[in-house]
Amino acid sequence: MSFVARTSWQNVRDRVHGLILDGTYRHGDKLPRDEDLAEELGCARTTLHRAMRALADTGIIERRRKGGTTVRTDPVTRATLDIPVTRLEVEARGFTYGYHLLERTEAVPPAPIAAALKMLKPHRMLRVQALHLADGRTYVLEDRWVSLQTVPEIAQVDLSTQSANEWLVRNRPVSHYDIRISAHSCDVKEAQLIGAQEGQAVLVVERMTWTNDAPITHVRATNSPGFHLMASSRS
Amino acid sequence: MSFVARTSWQNVRDRVHGLILDGTYRHGDKLPRDEDLAEELGCARTTLHRAMRALADTGIIERRRKGGTTVRTDPVTRATLDIPVTRLEVEARGFTYGYHLLERTEAVPPAPIAAALKMLKPHRMLRVQALHLADGRTYVLEDRWVSLQTVPEIAQVDLSTQSANEWLVRNRPVSHYDIRISAHSCDVKEAQLIGAQEGQAVLVVERMTWTNDAPITHVRATNSPGFHLMASSRS
DNA sequence: AAGTGGTCTAGACCACTGA
DNA sequence: CAGTGGTCTAGACCACTTG
């Protein structure tokens, strides 16, 4: 029954956040300097710093050397989006995962793909079109381009049983990536493949990945109708 | 010309990341314990910890007490999404921002809205429908519900010149929020308002915000055609 | 130039959790 | 219950940036 509010950075973070929520410090206000605030809250400056960084990460406050810490006036809504490997996503929803290779070709990618991957000189890539299934029904239509220059081994991999994603994930660590989310009206062919009506709106997620500036892959995932992404403020 | 690679947590983070990218440690492999790795890299354990936490945050490694640190086998694509206040977004694109109030009513929200806000007993809310304009053209159609219980003062605010968002942002700090992104085929009315064709696919972003479990607002932002969201791996 | 946040270190102790 | 990551502290120094 003892409320031993131990000093911990999470506790400190919540207390500072509380001072903002209850109006002690309002939008645009300047908070005390770290050293003073730490003393006031009874913790080390390092601990306060840890707490403040968490608040700064979520976009609640803004910190500047010499400028001090202020409550953001124009807070951005900053959310973390987790996009798991499709197989795991399907399985997490309690369905049986399936994979079906539609087509596999090699070609130089069209300009938009090359541009998205920031390729200066477009080179031959492997194009893989496939379906991810959930309990036998289409879950996602995937249209992928893989760089044969960065990942030559992919040419020898059997992609009829194993998704290119699964192979890449295990064999080519990614150093950074971009994501683009948009809405799309599906054409006749897409509609048929993902079990939608022609013209129906679907969510399209494109991902571009690189290893140290060398392009790995561009994936365009056309989700089935009704699919949505969820995100939330970081805890 | 001196490559004084000073030990800093970013440097350490990049070096450990490098050990993963170059295949020294592969997916599923276990990394040395912090103390050993710190000594190997010539930094304090605290500094290594800072670096490892950054890698864990981006989903590259997984850390467990007693279990050690392993390279994630099923890496999630974890991205940070920043959604600014609409006015700033429009201005950042070099357009002149405009705001137009369409309708303002009070009512008990329909079930889906109440459910999204986790309201146990739906109560009266203020409903505000408005357009955000960029150089006079519709940029976003906003359909917002504001809790009159949590934010009673909003009833007295003039929302014909000031967006509800702007007022809320300055007067009701948010403790946490959820975001939902989906694709939507617009109906006749929406199409007309946002300058689209009937049935055209548009990106819909819904946001629910709370202060300490008390619902503040539900916003449904229907973006104009062609709009897309971008995100990328955290630096 | 001076003030404020950012980081590093070393050491101690805590809290999970897997063998 | 022992091993590993997580955190706290105190003090020093660094680096940015604003007055």
Side-chain angles (χ1 to χ4, degrees):
Chain A
M1 182 148 164
S2 55
F3 296 93
V4 188
R6 305 249 311 297
T7 67
S8 72
W9 71 266
Q10 287 99 335
N11 185 319
V12 173
R13 184 243 288 145
D14 291 344
R15 278 195 284 165
V16 175
H17 194 180
L19 292 175
I20 295 169
L21 293 176
D22 72 10
T24 303
Y25 297 105
R26 308 177 138 272
H27 289 290
D29 285 0
K30 191 167 171 179
L31 274 68
R33 40 195 288 261
D34 284 14
E35 196 171 340
D36 296 342
L37 198 49
E39 189 182 12
E40 195 176 312
L41 298 178
C43 67
R45 187 159 86 83
T46 322
T47 304
L48 180 82
H49 179 69
R50 179 78 176 82
M52 296 299 253
R53 192 161 45 72
L55 292 174
D57 279 348
T58 60
I60 293 169
I61 60 175
E62 193 162 11
R63 318 198 78 202
R64 273 192 211 164
R65 292 175 176 177
K66 169 85 179 184
T69 304
T70 52
V71 183
R72 283 189 74 128
T73 315
D74 312 304
V76 287
T77 298
R78 185 170 300 167
T80 302
L81 204 61
D82 279 356
I83 302 181
V85 172
T86 308
R87 178 176 57 77
L88 296 177
E89 187 180 340
V90 167
E91 288 171 357
R93 299 196 179 201
F95 299 121
T96 301
Y97 174 77
Y99 171 79
H100 179 62
L101 177 65
L102 293 173
E103 205 174 333
R104 172 188 178 132
T105 52
E106 287 187 23
V108 173
I113 305 289
L117 282 171
K118 295 167 190 162
M119 290 168 66
L120 301 176
K121 288 188 174 186
H123 52 251
R124 278 182 85 74
M125 298 182 80
L126 177 69
R127 184 184 188 182
V128 180
Q129 288 165 288
L131 294 177
H132 296 270
L133 311 170
D135 277 355
R137 295 177 47 202
T138 302
Y139 189 75
V140 172
L141 165 62
E142 173 179 312
D143 187 356
R144 179 186 296 269
W145 292 83
V146 185
S147 166
L148 287 170
Q149 188 169 297
T150 313
V151 199
E153 313 95 293
I154 192 87
Q156 270 78 50
V157 178
D158 175 15
L159 295 177
S160 60
T161 55
Q162 179 184 205
S163 130
N165 192 18
E166 304 260 342
W167 188 89
L168 282 172
V169 138
R170 283 170 218 294
N171 295 279
R172 269 294 177 287
V174 165
S175 61
H176 68 280
Y177 49 83
D178 280 354
I179 295 175
R180 190 187 136 107
I181 303 165
S182 55
H184 175 72
S185 299
C186 35
D187 60 29
V188 189
K189 193 180 170 192
E190 289 167 337
Q192 188 194 343
L193 287 170
I194 64 174
Q197 305 288 321
E198 181 185 352
Q200 193 167 6
V202 292
L203 198 64
V204 170
V205 178
E206 285 168 277
R207 266 176 292 174
M208 290 72 77
T209 67
W210 292 267
T211 341
N212 303 322
D213 297 333
I216 299 180
T217 190
H218 176 285
V219 206
R220 178 189 160 100
T222 305
N223 294 284
S224 42
F227 177 86
H228 57 261
L229 288 170
M230 299 285 280
S232 56
S233 47
R234 294 183 205 156
S235 60
Chain B
M1 184 146 167
S2 56
F3 297 94
V4 187
R6 306 247 310 297
T7 67
S8 71
W9 71 266
Q10 287 101 334
N11 185 317
V12 173
R13 184 242 288 144
D14 291 344
R15 278 196 285 165
V16 175
H17 195 182
L19 292 175
I20 296 171
L21 293 176
D22 72 11
T24 304
Y25 298 106
R26 306 177 139 271
H27 289 287
D29 285 0
K30 190 167 170 178
L31 274 67
R33 43 196 282 265
D34 284 13
E35 196 171 340
D36 296 342
L37 198 49
E39 189 183 13
E40 195 176 313
L41 298 177
C43 68
R45 188 161 84 84
T46 321
T47 305
L48 179 82
H49 178 71
R50 179 78 175 81
M52 296 299 252
R53 192 158 47 71
L55 292 173
D57 279 348
T58 60
I60 292 169
I61 61 174
E62 192 162 12
R63 318 198 78 203
R64 274 194 210 163
R65 291 175 175 174
K66 170 86 179 186
T69 304
T70 53
V71 182
R72 283 190 73 129
T73 314
D74 313 305
V76 287
T77 298
R78 186 169 300 168
T80 301
L81 203 62
D82 279 356
I83 303 181
V85 172
T86 309
R87 178 176 56 79
L88 296 176
E89 188 180 341
V90 168
E91 288 171 357
R93 300 197 177 200
F95 299 122
T96 302
Y97 174 75
Y99 171 79
H100 179 61
L101 178 65
L102 292 173
E103 206 175 332
R104 172 190 179 131
T105 52
E106 287 188 21
V108 173
I113 304 288
L117 283 170
K118 295 168 191 163
M119 290 167 65
L120 301 177
K121 288 189 173 184
H123 53 252
R124 277 182 89 73
M125 297 182 82
L126 177 68
R127 183 183 190 183
V128 180
Q129 288 164 289
L131 294 176
H132 295 270
L133 312 170
D135 278 355
R137 294 177 49 202
T138 301
Y139 188 75
V140 172
L141 164 63
E142 174 179 312
D143 187 355
R144 179 186 294 271
W145 293 83
V146 185
S147 165
L148 287 170
Q149 188 169 297
T150 313
V151 199
E153 314 94 293
I154 193 85
Q156 270 79 51
V157 178
D158 176 14
L159 296 176
S160 60
T161 54
Q162 179 185 206
S163 126
N165 193 17
E166 303 261 343
W167 188 89
L168 282 171
V169 139
R170 284 171 216 295
N171 294 280
R172 270 293 176 289
V174 164
S175 62
H176 68 280
Y177 48 83
D178 280 355
I179 295 176
R180 190 188 137 105
I181 303 165
S182 54
H184 174 72
S185 299
C186 35
D187 60 29
V188 189
K189 193 180 170 191
E190 289 167 337
Q192 189 194 342
L193 287 170
I194 64 174
Q197 305 286 322
E198 181 184 352
Q200 193 167 5
V202 291
L203 199 63
V204 170
V205 178
E206 286 169 277
R207 267 175 291 174
M208 291 71 78
T209 67
W210 293 266
T211 341
N212 303 320
D213 297 332
I216 300 180
T217 190
H218 176 286
V219 206
R220 177 190 163 99
T222 306
N223 294 283
S224 42
F227 177 88
H228 57 262
L229 288 170
M230 299 284 280
S232 56
S233 48
R234 295 185 204 155
S235 62

